[in-house]
Amino acid sequence: MREVGFVQEMGHLRELYLVKNKVGKIGPEMAGLTDLRLLELGDNRIREIANLSNLAELDSLWLAKNKITSLRGLEGLGKLRVLSMQCNRITQIEGLEGLTGLQELYLSENGITDMDGLNHLTGLVTLDLAMNKIGSIGEMGNLTKLQDFWFNGNPWADLKELTKLEGLVSLTTVYLMDTPAKASAGATYHTQVQAMIPSVKLIDISN
């Protein structure tokens, strides 16, 4: 399926699943779906986020496995709680300023190089940044509700940067495997992580 013009006749739709098709763009027909709560467009050929600003009731947006290069285009989605953007071509965290209700953010397997643009998302419970190109843990002090942090598979080398997370008292699970930081820590890895983030109970799900 390449075209989704038919959805403009479904104005009261609350959930729309169009996974694993050949959809190349989010067209203007989506703008009329103002009752939509969940939109799943994963595994398509979409290159940019567009025509979603009218979907003020949207709770969950799934756009994994596309060809999207930017997070711009999410304006107006103030009620968005879940955003899934794994396996795209994103290099920068931007355009999330209005997503104050966001609780789950999935950005693994992109080309992101730093963590700028996250610290204002104070409602985040889950943050997935696995398998990107991030070399340093950025400022996260405002993410006091964070429980799960995925950072595995990044070229991050300084384990001591975990002290930036020590004030996140809700943080219980971290994934830090396949990083230079873990490799250099050797046998004391788990002990060091636990000392720097006392609230953590699960480390790479092996603790």
Side-chain angles (χ1 to χ4, degrees):
M1 183 188 300
R2 290 182 170 83
E3 302 294 334
V4 295
F6 63 90
V7 302
Q8 61 188 348
E9 307 297 330
M10 305 176 179
H12 296 296
L13 206 63
R14 294 174 67 90
E15 297 184 358
L16 178 59
Y17 299 86
L18 293 169
V19 187
K20 206 169 185 179
N21 283 286
K22 297 179 181 179
V23 179
K25 64 178 181 179
I26 304 173
E29 61 274 1
M30 291 290 180
L33 305 181
T34 54
D35 289 336
L36 207 61
R37 270 37 172 201
L38 183 151
L39 178 57
E40 166 65 277
L41 286 167
D43 204 356
N44 279 285
R45 300 176 179 179
I46 297 165
R47 295 182 179 275
E48 67 175 332
I49 303 171
N51 296 302
L52 298 180
S53 60
N54 286 349
L55 309 188
E57 300 299 319
L58 198 64
D59 174 86
S60 302
L61 177 60
W62 305 83
L63 289 169
K65 293 186 178 180
N66 278 286
K67 299 178 180 181
I68 297 169
T69 58
S70 172
L71 289 169
R72 297 288 179 186
L74 296 167
E75 298 82 5
L77 305 183
K79 292 187 178 180
L80 197 67
R81 187 180 56 85
V82 180
L83 177 60
S84 169
M85 299 293 302
Q86 301 106 311
C87 303
N88 276 284
R89 300 175 181 178
I90 296 160
T91 59
Q92 185 176 358
I93 300 172
E94 59 182 349
L96 305 181
E97 293 79 10
L99 305 186
T100 53
L102 203 61
Q103 295 180 19
E104 301 177 26
L105 178 59
Y106 303 96
L107 292 171
S108 60
E109 296 187 65
N110 279 284
I112 298 167
T113 56
D114 63 60
M115 293 175 60
D116 293 346
L118 283 173
N119 202 33
H120 70 284
L121 299 174
T122 56
L124 278 184
V125 174
T126 299
L127 175 59
D128 179 7
L129 293 172
M131 294 190 286
N132 277 284
K133 299 179 180 180
I134 304 171
S136 177
I137 292 179
E139 179 55 53
M140 297 173 63
N142 291 337
L143 308 186
T144 55
K145 296 181 181 179
L146 195 66
Q147 298 176 14
D148 299 329
F149 179 44
W150 301 68
F151 201 61
N152 51 291
N154 279 288
W156 161 65
D158 187 359
L159 196 70
K160 292 180 181 179
E161 287 189 341
L162 290 178
T163 56
K164 296 180 181 179
L165 311 182
E166 64 184 352
L168 305 185
V169 295
S170 297
L171 187 60
T172 58
T173 305
V174 294
Y175 303 84
L176 307 169
M177 57 279 200
D178 302 321
T179 61
K182 177 177 181 178
S184 62
T188 64
Y189 165 69
H190 283 79
T191 303
Q192 290 187 60
V193 173
Q194 190 71 68
M196 286 184 276
I197 320 174
S199 60
V200 165
K201 307 301 181 186
L202 292 173
I203 302 170
D204 304 338
I205 318 219
S206 62
N207 188 17

